[in-house]
Amino acid sequence: MRRVAVVAPEQALRESLVRIAEAGCVEIDLAGDGGPDVRGPAATRLRRLRSEPVRPVLSGVRPDLDALEREGRTDLLAGEAQVEERLGGAVRHGAVAALAGWCPETEVGPTAARIAGAGGALVPLRTPRGVDPPTLLTGAEPASPADGATSVRRSFTPLVTTYGTVPYADLDPTMAAGVVYVVMFGLMFGDAGHGLLLVALALLLRAGRPRRTAALRPLWPFVAGAGLAATLAGVAYGEFFGPTGVLPVLWLEPLEEPMRLLASAVELGAVLLALAYAAGIVNRWREGGPSAALYATTGIAGAALYLGLAVLAGYVWLGRPAYGVAGALIALAGLALAGTGLYATTAGGPGGAVQIGVQLFDVVVRIGSNVVSFARLAAFGLTHAALGAIVWDGATALAGRGPAGAVAAVLVLLLGNALAFSLEALVAGVQALRLEFYELFSRLFEGEGRPFRPWRLPVEHLTAAPVREAGPSAPREAVGHGGPVREEEP
């Protein structure tokens, strides 16, 4: 993201702004002392007319505001009011005016060329000290249908933006967060039949069917990924609409080996927490330098404590004294670093020491609870398998009771799977989101950034009609599909 200035002669500033709004890739700073009571001519007319919110539209040429008011063109008046708001925040020196803002690095050149035709210029500036640029996650912008990678990234973006805006200095976790989410969802929703239904639902979304779900179409890669993960987990579990025997068990059968599944879930959680600490170290370094990364409980200090506790757990599990000594030393080093960092935020003295002790105890407890929390991957996977087994057992019990029993068995199988699919999809989706937000994202982010909000408005290019004759100095009126537009005689 680059700090930029829009510079243009006073008479060319409006047209430059129109071209910027049409491109939609520049966020323009608004005047700090402006407000709702500071209104220009267009805003005043709009207030007299508007009874409900309208979608602003810009006129390609300077419009006749009185004519727009007579025609009730609140959309064009709303667009012109936004232009007035930005013109009011411009800095003027003689006949030149300038506005500051932000623009993505890749768009600076094309935008500069775009407004050059109007007589304006886009000038890169140095980023002010102490000011973080706004954040634009890669993939948050619209993607073309042919750009598969951007489509996938864009479908994962709501996972991150729902939690908050990523600080500009931090890593972009979009793709990693999406992959981790679908893996966790698949482990809890492990059934090949149900997973394939999710894939089919994703393909329907991609095709825009049903039409009322068209707004969800960009999310189809996300739904397809979750369905594929659930299908693969179902193949590993031998589940296809329950324990029907259609698929062999390739890894484990959840209801027969629950402890093995539980241990695998906790191990996966431990690995994910380690990766979250690694990303947290990078983020703290980029945010505040080496000292911030060293002493933060989500940086090197927290990672050392986590590693030490993990080695101590290995000692308890394997009974090797060397693991116990090494784990204790690493954990104590992590506690010392974290305590030093926390002490700097206190008022010192006995009260500060008590505060540090409570906070360090909380850090240790949270590490243990966060690791154990991943056991829910196994718990809800077992729940899904149990529901499938209940439905299958009920269907097979009815199937041997004549024609009526066969019909009842089919109904039980269909309705039971529909219920299990709906209930477990909701539960697995919520639980995967909870693990991502509380266990992982809490280590990645310590603050929140500001989202990049470019000024983007559609532009209505009026088509000039034959004009009536007028005197040499009188204005002439051109009428287009957007209403009358006043044009001055050259």
Side-chain angles (χ1 to χ4, degrees):
M1 194 68 64
R2 287 298 304 268
R3 184 71 170 166
V4 295
V6 180
V7 183
E10 183 71 36
Q11 66 272 17
L13 184 57
R14 183 192 180 278
E15 185 178 351
S16 299
L17 289 177
V18 169
R19 297 192 180 198
I20 284 175
E22 191 171 25
C25 57
V26 178
E27 177 184 298
I28 296 178
D29 297 347
L30 299 178
D33 56 352
D37 295 331
V38 180
R39 298 181 183 273
T44 302
R45 289 169 172 80
L46 180 63
R47 184 170 52 178
R48 290 200 295 256
L49 289 176
R50 187 167 59 185
S51 58
E52 58 183 24
V54 295
R55 183 176 180 230
V57 177
L58 277 178
S59 170
V61 295
R62 191 181 299 273
D64 183 339
L65 299 181
D66 292 331
L68 294 180
E69 185 178 10
R70 288 195 302 270
E71 292 190 356
R73 291 300 304 270
T74 54
D75 54 345
L76 287 171
L77 285 173
E80 201 62 27
Q82 291 194 18
V83 173
E84 290 176 350
E85 185 178 18
R86 283 150 182 82
L87 289 174
V91 176
R92 291 168 172 83
H93 183 75
V96 178
L99 287 160
W102 300 94
C103 181
E105 184 86 31
T106 56
E107 299 294 336
V108 172
T111 305
R114 187 183 189 93
I115 68 174
L122 192 70
V123 182
L125 302 175
R126 184 176 300 174
T127 301
R129 289 186 178 181
V131 176
D132 288 331
T135 302
L136 173 64
L137 292 179
T138 305
E141 67 278 356
S144 64
D147 193 350
T150 303
S151 296
V152 172
R153 182 182 289 271
R154 185 188 180 199
S155 71
F156 289 159
T157 299
L159 270 178
V160 180
T161 56
T162 301
Y163 183 82
T165 303
V166 178
Y168 183 78
D170 287 5
L171 297 172
D172 180 359
T174 303
M175 286 298 291
V179 171
V180 169
Y181 182 94
V182 300
V183 168
M184 294 192 297
F185 178 90
L187 290 174
M188 291 184 282
F189 197 68
D191 187 291
H194 293 171
L196 291 175
L197 287 179
L198 271 181
V199 173
L201 177 62
L203 294 177
L204 285 176
L205 287 177
R206 186 176 188 272
R209 297 289 185 272
R211 290 186 177 180
R212 66 180 61 185
T213 62
L216 301 177
R217 186 172 184 265
L219 297 179
W220 79 265
F222 179 72
V223 179
L228 181 59
T231 302
L232 294 176
V235 171
Y237 298 158
E239 297 277 332
F240 185 82
F241 295 110
T244 56
V246 174
L247 298 174
V249 178
L250 297 183
W251 179 39
L252 60 81
E253 191 174 349
L255 295 179
E256 296 297 325
E257 299 181 86
M259 295 307 297
R260 184 181 172 193
L261 181 62
L262 179 64
S264 300
V266 173
E267 290 169 1
L268 174 62
V271 172
L272 292 177
L273 285 174
L275 294 175
Y277 271 115
I281 291 171
V282 175
N283 285 345
R284 300 297 86 75
W285 192 294
R286 296 173 66 164
E287 291 166 359
S291 60
L294 181 62
Y295 297 112
T297 57
T298 56
I300 295 174
L305 177 59
Y306 175 73
L307 178 60
L309 293 176
V311 176
L312 282 173
Y315 161 68
V316 174
W317 183 263
L318 300 175
R320 296 186 178 181
Y323 284 14
V325 174
L329 291 176
I330 297 172
L332 288 174
L335 285 172
L337 290 173
T340 302
L342 292 172
Y343 185 78
T345 64
T346 68
V354 172
Q355 180 181 341
I356 292 170
V358 172
Q359 289 176 313
L360 290 178
F361 178 77
D362 177 68
V363 170
V364 174
V365 171
R366 280 196 296 115
I367 287 176
S369 63
N370 290 159
V371 174
V372 175
S373 186
F374 282 91
R376 69 188 64 225
L377 296 176
F380 289 102
L382 287 169
T383 302
H384 195 182
L387 285 175
I390 291 171
V391 172
W392 178 245
D393 290 344
T396 53
L398 292 170
R401 300 184 180 182
V407 173
V410 172
L411 289 177
V412 168
L413 190 63
L414 292 176
L415 294 178
N417 273 282
L419 177 62
F421 178 90
S422 303
L423 181 62
E424 287 300 305
L426 176 62
V427 171
V430 171
Q431 292 301 323
L433 193 65
R434 184 228 177 270
L435 287 171
E436 190 126 63
F437 282 4
Y438 290 98
E439 272 64 46
L440 302 179
F441 281 5
S442 61
R443 287 167 171 78
L444 263 65
F445 310 124
E446 284 196 339
E448 189 172 357
R450 181 175 67 83
F452 175 64
R453 294 191 175 95
W455 186 41
R456 181 184 291 112
L457 288 180
V459 176
E460 188 172 287
H461 297 281
L462 304 178
T463 304
V467 296
R468 56 184 174 81
E469 294 296 331
S473 60
R476 58 184 182 179
E477 192 173 70
V479 182
H481 64 275
V485 177
R486 306 282 297 183
E487 295 183 346
E488 298 296 331
E489 283 283 337

